[in-house]
Structures are given as C-alpha cells and as structure tokens.
Amino acid sequence: MVQIESLNIQNFRGFDNLDIQGFSNINVLLGKNNCGKTSVLEAIFLLSGISNPSLSLNINLMRGIPVSKATLKYIFHNLETANRPSISGIFAQGSTRKLEIIPAFEQNEVSTKADTNAHNGSSSLSLIPAKELSGLDFSFTVKNAHYQTKKFKTGFRFEHNGIKQTLSTNYQEDIISSFLTPDSENADIGLADQLKSLFVARKEHILNELLNHLDPKIKGLYVLQDGLYIDKEGISERTPLRLMGGGVRRFLQIAATIAANKEQHLICLIDEIENGLHHESQQLMWQTLFSLSQSANIQLFITTHSLEMLQSLTNVLKQNAYSAMRDSVKIFTIVNTQKEGYQSYVRSYDGLDLALENDMEIR
C-alpha cells in the first residue's frame, strides 16, 4: 500500500531543494556517490515519525556522528543554521504533512568587540553574546482523517543532566517507520525482539524457509536466553548468529523487520540493500521483499549503487510468479544538475529493463 506519494525537501543535508513525485509500493533510489540517496531516506524517516524529535539525533548516530550540540548543524544545508530544513509530503488518501526544523540558541558571552571613545580616542574591549546551538524546535502540520490541518510543536534542549524533550501529547501517530542501515554491526539491533514476536505468533517457519534458500545447510534459527543461534548441518551444536557472515545477518534483519510487522502501516527504509549480500543471494532478497510485502501494508524505499542488484531485480520481475509486482516498482535517479539543481528522474520496470539491455548508465 502506498503511504507517501510525493516528497519535497528544502535546506536539509546537501539539498537546497528536491521534489520527488509518484512514489509506489516499492521504490528504488539510484544516484552517484554523495548525491543524497541516504538523505532522502532520512527525510522520509523524519516525516513519517514527525512527532518524534529524537529522530533528528538518530539519523546522525546512524552515520556514526556523535550526539552533541556541535553536530546538530549537520542537518542544515551547507551547515548554516539560517537554512532551516523543511520537509513536506502528500500521503495516502490526500493527507499531508509538513515538518519545519528551527535552531534554538543559547547566549554565551565569548566574542569580543573593540569600542573606541570618540572624545579621547581610547579603546576598550566589550563582550558580544555569541550564538551556540542548544537544541532544536520542530513545528509540524498534519492534515488527515483525524486532524483538519492541525499544527503541533515538539523539540529538545541539551541540559547539564542530559537531553530534555518536549513532546506533543495530543498527537497520535498512525505510521510506523523502520530505518535499516548498511552497517552489518547494527544488523542485530532489535532483531531478537522481532524474532521473538515471530516465534510467539508461530511464524518462525517464514524465516527458516528463507534461510534454507539462502544456505541449504541452515536448518533453523533459535532465540535463546543469551542470543540468536543457528542450527547448521554438519555442526554438532547450534552456533551464535554472530559467527555467521554479515550477509546472513543483513538478510535476516530485512526479512524479520517486514515479517514481524503488526502495524497497519509500515514504511521500511533500506539503505544500500546490497551490502553484505553475495550476488547469488540478491535475487532471493528481491523475491523475499516481494513475497512479504504483498501480505501487508508496507511501503519500501531502497537505495543501491549496485548494477548487479538492479539486474537481479529485473530478472525476478521477468518471472511469472512476480510479474504482477512490475507496476508496484518505481526507480528514481537523483541527479545534481548544473542548471536546475537537484532533480529526480523516474523509471518504471519497463524503463529499467530497457536501460539495462542497452547498457545505459542509470546509477
């Protein structure tokens, strides 16, 4: 199910302005290095979790940037706090959202200015209040079945004993978003809880079957008291999942996030989906995404710079079992043009297949 249909980004990260129209159920984002693919995912993440101000800190953490006053400026275009980020989108059934991020400052008297006395020519130094970021304020507007263009405010401040958030108690979120980073070290975060919920719902067979396709020697996955374990043929005892390759853990992270979803609306953001996956496993990943997404209200946003990943996508969609998914897939290329700035260009399955057959550069 399509949750978000279009997106506008202003003054966020490297973007001064970017419009993307016509999202579908499964959206693949392409573009050169540093073109902003991950920033698009982050913008969607902030917009879909619009009432949670801590997400602005989380997106820095996911890039390995520590949480501090000094790093707050990294979400502002060109690192200039005068460039206030604004993210807006049109969602399902005509609902709209707009998020504006406003810097909050504290005054520190650290700068100096020379004052000259006009009568005797003497000069002295005076202190000028210097601005330092102390937090962020968030102003967001939502229009949907519950709210008729209603405005809310949240924010946070750095204080001596930590970070203090101000939340909006009269806003109820109806969309869940999940951001999966390419870092294999983070692939296990939250995985145990998702797997436990699958075991409780007696759905563990879904992942066991997928793992068996990924590696026929894997016979089962188990959630034990001290962690996740794999039962693998030829090994006398179950071994920790951590001993398996990053590709297996990445595959599990993505599949379990979707399979364990109990919410009506989930937006799943997958950055660099090919990371850790052997090229022979990439086709299985697309098959898994298509199969799991058909049975739930899930919208996928996926970034990749792998030509093999794109080729495996078209190979899967050519199969009769998945041909019905062709209209659900859109390919967006993000380009920073010299004359018109950042632009997005969209292709359907047919356009992607034609481009690959003619060796056209689409990434």
Side-chain angles (χ1 to χ4, degrees):
M1 179 179 180
V2 176
Q3 307 296 344
I4 180 170
E5 299 173 357
S6 66
L7 181 71
N8 176 260
I9 304 172
Q10 295 182 24
N11 291 326
F12 177 70
R13 297 286 202 203
F15 295 123
D16 54 352
N17 185 74
L18 174 67
D19 270 305
I20 308 180
Q21 306 286 331
F23 287 132
S24 188
N25 295 78
I26 300 172
N27 307 278
V28 182
L29 304 179
L30 312 178
K32 295 180 179 180
N33 289 336
N34 203 36
C35 74
K37 298 187 296 294
T38 300
S39 296
V40 173
L41 296 189
E42 291 172 338
I44 296 172
F45 191 48
L46 294 178
L47 199 59
S48 57
I50 198 167
S51 64
N52 185 355
S54 66
L55 295 185
S56 62
L57 301 174
N58 293 348
I59 61 175
N60 278 343
L61 279 173
M62 289 188 291
R63 289 179 181 251
I65 300 171
V67 172
S68 71
K69 295 179 183 178
T71 60
L72 292 179
K73 64 183 178 183
Y74 293 156
I75 68 170
F76 295 85
H77 181 57
N78 289 340
L79 307 185
E80 296 288 345
T81 55
N83 298 327
R84 296 184 177 183
S86 174
I87 306 167
S88 59
I90 299 176
F91 285 69
Q93 299 175 342
S95 63
T96 61
R97 296 183 178 201
K98 183 175 182 179
L99 172 66
E100 296 177 289
I101 303 177
I102 305 161
F105 298 99
E106 60 185 20
Q107 301 292 332
N108 291 325
E109 292 187 342
V110 296
S111 298
T112 60
K113 177 184 176 181
D115 290 331
T116 301
N117 190 305
H119 296 288
N120 56 26
S122 63
S123 62
S124 62
L125 294 178
S126 61
L127 295 177
I128 300 174
K131 290 183 176 181
E132 182 182 5
L133 278 170
S134 62
L136 297 174
D137 288 322
F138 299 80
S139 175
F140 64 96
T141 305
V142 175
K143 178 183 178 183
N144 59 23
H146 304 291
Y147 307 107
Q148 293 297 318
T149 315
K150 196 168 183 180
K151 196 168 187 177
F152 304 86
K153 292 184 179 298
T154 61
F156 63 82
R157 295 290 186 276
F158 280 84
E159 299 186 347
H160 295 297
N161 57 349
I163 298 175
K164 181 179 179 181
Q165 292 192 87
T166 302
L167 302 177
S168 179
T169 57
N170 58 343
Y171 176 78
Q172 184 65 43
E173 185 57 78
D174 59 358
I175 293 177
I176 301 297
S177 60
S178 180
F179 197 121
L180 307 182
T181 71
D183 184 2
S184 61
E185 291 301 313
N186 293 326
D188 296 346
I189 297 178
L191 182 56
D193 290 336
Q194 292 167 339
L195 293 176
K196 286 177 183 177
S197 68
L198 286 172
F199 274 78
V200 170
R202 297 182 178 179
K203 293 182 178 180
E204 68 273 14
H205 65 279
I206 296 175
L207 292 185
N208 286 333
E209 291 172 3
L210 291 173
L211 284 172
N212 186 253
H213 286 299
L214 187 67
D215 184 345
K217 290 187 177 181
I218 297 178
K219 301 304 177 184
L221 175 69
Y222 298 88
V223 181
L224 303 182
Q225 187 173 2
D226 60 341
L228 306 174
Y229 284 77
I230 290 286
D231 185 4
K232 192 170 183 180
E233 184 180 311
I235 301 179
S236 59
E237 60 182 66
R238 291 167 184 160
T239 56
L241 178 63
R242 275 279 177 181
L243 294 180
M244 304 297 289
V248 173
R249 304 202 321 269
R250 174 71 161 162
F251 186 91
L252 266 178
Q253 177 200 37
I254 295 172
T257 298
I258 298 174
N261 175 51
K262 295 180 180 179
E263 306 295 334
Q264 280 192 327
H265 307 298
L266 170 68
I267 292 178
C268 187
L269 309 158
I270 307 173
D271 199 14
E272 295 184 19
I273 189 173
E274 72 278 2
N275 190 65
L277 292 178
H278 189 270
H279 69 89
E280 293 181 357
S281 305
Q282 293 176 357
Q283 187 163 306
L284 178 61
M285 174 56 77
W286 288 119
Q287 292 170 333
T288 299
L289 291 176
F290 293 154
S291 298
L292 293 177
S293 63
Q294 287 185 60
S295 59
N297 291 327
I298 295 172
Q299 187 177 24
L300 297 171
F301 292 88
I302 300 163
T303 71
T304 184
H305 51 71
S306 167
L307 189 61
E308 288 180 334
M309 200 73 198
L310 294 173
Q311 188 64 66
S312 66
L313 169 59
T314 59
N315 290 341
V316 170
L317 291 174
K318 286 177 181 177
Q319 300 172 17
N320 290 333
Y322 300 98
S323 60
M325 298 296 296
R326 293 176 185 174
D327 291 338
S328 299
V329 176
K330 290 284 185 67
I331 314 296
F332 296 87
T333 302
I334 310 299
V335 179
N336 188 7
T337 66
Q338 289 186 347
K339 292 184 178 181
E340 298 181 341
Y342 281 97
Q343 300 291 318
S344 68
Y345 301 96
V346 60
R347 282 185 175 90
S348 63
Y349 156 74
D350 290 330
L352 174 64
D353 190 39
L354 181 64
L356 291 174
E357 285 185 358
N358 291 278
D359 294 323
M360 296 171 59
E361 179 54 53
I362 56 176
R363 296 171 295 165

